[in-house]
Amino acid sequence: MAADRTIDANGKYVFPGGVDPHVHLDLPFMGTFSSDNYETGTRAALFGGTTTVIDFAIQVQGNSLYSAVEEWNKKSEGNAYGDYSYHLAVTDFNPKTRPEVKNLIEKEGITSFKTFMAYKGALMIDDGQMVGLMREVKEHGGMVTVHATNGDMIDHLVAKHKAEGKLAPLYHYLSQPEITEAEASGRFIDMAYYTDVPAYIVHLTCEGALNKVRDAARRNQKVFVETCVQYLLLDASLYEREGFEGAKWVMSPPLRKKKDRETLWAGLNQGLVNVVGTDHCPFFMKQKRMGEDDFSKIPNGHPAIEHRLELLFSEGVRKGRISMNKLVEVTAANPAKIFGMFPKKGTIAVGSDADIVIFDPETTHTLSARTHHHNCDYSGYEGWEVTGKCRTVLLRGRVAIENNDIHIPKGYGRFIRRSHCSKVV
Ligand code: URP
Ligand code: ZN
Ligand code: ZN
């Protein structure tokens, strides 16, 4: 069959379209909403070579799981440029919500279930609910994912710092020490071992938590691990910036120490860290200022969806920290496999979706809020020079990005029904 058009990729790399399994679009959170919605967020993702995102449909405590899906469909339908799916974030697991798990997996193609071990009173579930959910998800072939930090310990430290009048963004970091993440990761891993459910830790940041995964491997347990690009590239010294500037990087878990970055790069090469996402959850500085006098009121999250591939290429591949194959594995193939979208997504093959990135490895450009496509007035990487640029991006065979412009209409993005999650990659 003759092609309608030939695209010259001479001198460029050709990658499968990226799959970012950790984004928050239009998320109601901490008294406000994340500032990228399905329109702006999936468009920014496409500019950065990410053709599919998995967002979190978040159950409101007391409501059903299905009501979260309905709520998220209102946000996404007709608005997305890029393809998308949802993890179902279970914040209230009880006899009423239990039967919904089977239907979500079998009827809706929503096969992964997110849990929070922190954010008590809003998102956190206790260990009893966790084990109950794990049993149910295991029975129907799904996966349980987790934000693994010890919510009670963190709440204690937040209250302590506030009582001492320590209210600056730095105390967000100091309220979530490494041990809070290591402890919760270990507890989650043990519960997953006991129930034998496929398990995945989102946004893992530190040595202590990765060592729990390492320990689990000694009893032949596989726990999938995602880190995010900011934990590989940035560190907690940013919280010491003048005035309120540190708020730009207030996220949970917080940025860690340089030794943790080294652990994560090593973990990628050791096959312990399987995915690099973004946890894209942007807020304007005006929103961040809700916590100007109290770090615990700063909305958690930062913009990143557009920069994942270019930063990982520039800082990872070009600097010899990871191979080109590893880049494709952790940004496309692995998330597609783990979350039941492979080989439709995450590869270039006959019968796959023809989500393709043509990547120029030589162009150097500067990241800035003036030029990024995030709906956010600051960049966590302002002034960073990166080498490598997504030139042309195809989504399902159609040119979506070319000449720094978008060529598909809003609403082109589709919901992707997923198959059972994979225990192997
Ligand atoms: O700071 C973050 N990560 N905000 C989004 C919610 C979450 O915990 O992933
Ligand atoms: Zn989280
Ligand atoms: Zn998140």
Side-chain angles (χ1 to χ4, degrees):
M1 202 167 80
D4 295 339
R5 192 185 149 195
T6 304
I7 301 173
D8 184 2
N10 200 15
K12 314 278 192 298
Y13 289 113
V14 180
F15 298 142
V19 177
D20 187 341
H22 193 152
V23 308
H24 299 280
L25 302 176
D26 207 3
L27 171 72
F29 192 48
M30 298 183 73
T32 185
F33 285 80
S34 60
S35 58
D36 262 319
N37 56 23
Y38 271 80
E39 176 181 346
T40 60
T42 60
R43 186 173 57 204
L46 284 171
F47 275 100
T50 291
T51 45
T52 304
V53 299
I54 315 183
D55 189 5
F56 298 82
I58 305 207
Q59 176 198 18
V60 172
Q61 290 180 344
N63 291 356
S64 66
L65 302 183
Y66 261 79
S67 64
V69 178
E70 282 157 23
E71 200 53 37
W72 256 258
N73 283 343
K74 281 188 220 151
K75 296 172 191 286
S76 62
E77 279 171 4
N79 291 322
Y81 282 94
D83 285 353
Y84 61 93
S85 178
Y86 316 133
H87 307 281
L88 202 302
V90 180
T91 62
D92 190 359
F93 186 71
N94 58 51
K96 266 193 174 157
T97 54
R98 190 174 66 84
E100 294 185 278
V101 167
K102 178 177 193 285
N103 289 339
L104 286 163
I105 293 175
E106 291 177 2
K107 298 195 177 133
E108 314 303 329
I110 296 175
T111 53
S112 47
F113 295 81
K114 167 77 177 293
T115 58
F116 291 90
M117 296 171 85
Y119 303 123
K120 198 170 187 171
L123 304 174
M124 177 170 153
I125 59 170
D126 64 27
D127 293 350
Q129 292 181 77
M130 179 72 87
V131 171
L133 175 68
M134 284 176 163
R135 284 191 195 286
E136 196 64 20
V137 170
K138 155 85 183 161
E139 189 176 334
H140 301 291
M143 159 113 30
V144 174
T145 79
V146 69
H147 170 128
T149 60
N150 183 319
D152 285 326
M153 266 176 94
I154 292 168
D155 289 350
H156 167 80
L157 289 170
V158 168
K160 177 178 177 295
H161 286 135
K162 285 170 66 165
E164 292 166 356
K166 296 170 173 165
L167 300 168
L170 174 66
Y171 291 94
H172 169 80
Y173 164 63
L174 294 174
S175 298
Q176 300 201 32
E178 179 177 5
I179 196 80
T180 60
E181 188 178 336
E183 186 281 331
S185 299
R187 187 157 33 103
F188 172 80
I189 289 168
D190 283 345
M191 290 186 278
Y193 184 66
Y194 176 66
T195 57
D196 193 31
V197 72
Y200 178 104
I201 301 178
V202 310
H203 57 35
L204 185 143
T205 69
C206 58
E207 186 182 17
L210 196 63
N211 282 343
K212 300 288 179 177
V213 177
R214 218 183 285 280
D215 288 347
R218 293 154 66 96
R219 63 185 177 197
N220 302 327
Q221 182 184 6
K222 174 63 189 165
V223 177
F224 290 113
V225 172
E226 164 202 289
T227 191
C228 298
V229 75
Q230 60 271 24
Y231 300 119
L232 290 161
L233 300 180
L234 306 177
D235 65 70
S237 60
L238 290 166
Y239 298 121
E240 284 161 29
R241 292 246 177 127
E242 279 288 283
F244 193 60
E245 209 190 335
K248 290 178 177 171
W249 300 278
V250 163
M251 62 185 78
S252 293
L255 301 173
R256 300 287 186 198
K257 298 184 176 150
K258 292 198 174 77
K259 59 111 180 150
D260 297 300
R261 295 191 337 208
E262 297 314 316
T263 295
L264 296 174
W265 285 111
L268 284 167
N269 286 312
Q270 292 160 353
L272 286 170
V273 179
N274 311 101
V275 172
V276 179
T278 60
D279 194 6
H280 177 74
C281 191
F283 298 98
F284 279 82
M285 281 313 286
K286 186 169 162 236
Q287 295 171 286
K288 289 274 185 186
R289 276 194 206 98
M290 290 163 61
E292 195 143 28
D293 302 320
D294 175 356
F295 69 87
S296 71
K297 295 195 169 60
I298 301 170
N300 288 196
H302 88 316
I305 207 168
E306 183 174 354
H307 301 319
R308 183 178 65 144
L309 200 60
E310 291 174 357
L311 278 170
L312 265 187
F313 178 80
S314 192
E315 294 291 319
V317 177
R318 285 188 69 95
K319 294 193 173 168
R321 289 161 157 155
I322 54 169
S323 68
M324 189 72 94
N325 280 355
K326 184 61 81 178
L327 175 81
V328 172
E329 193 183 308
V330 299
T331 58
N334 279 355
K337 286 177 182 170
I338 292 168
F339 291 113
M341 291 188 277
F342 193 86
K344 183 179 175 66
K345 302 293 185 190
T347 188
I348 301 173
V350 175
S352 296
D353 260 359
D355 299 340
I356 294 171
V357 179
I358 300 177
F359 192 86
D360 176 349
E362 299 302 338
T363 298
T364 296
H365 58 115
T366 305
L367 304 185
S368 170
R370 286 190 303 281
T371 48
H372 71 195
H373 296 86
H374 302 135
N375 185 38
C376 189
D377 58 355
Y378 78 90
S379 170
Y381 300 92
E382 189 65 42
W384 276 51
E385 270 213 343
V386 299
T387 300
K389 188 157 180 50
C390 300
R391 282 279 172 225
T392 306
V393 179
L394 284 84
L395 175 57
R396 282 180 270 112
R398 191 156 158 191
V399 172
I401 303 292
E402 195 172 46
N403 299 326
N404 287 318
D405 216 344
I406 186 130
H407 297 276
I408 50 173
K410 179 172 119 173
Y412 182 75
R414 278 193 201 150
F415 177 76
I416 304 298
R417 295 171 63 86
R418 295 183 283 119
S419 326
H420 286 170
C421 292
S422 177
K423 275 186 109 166
V424 291
V425 290

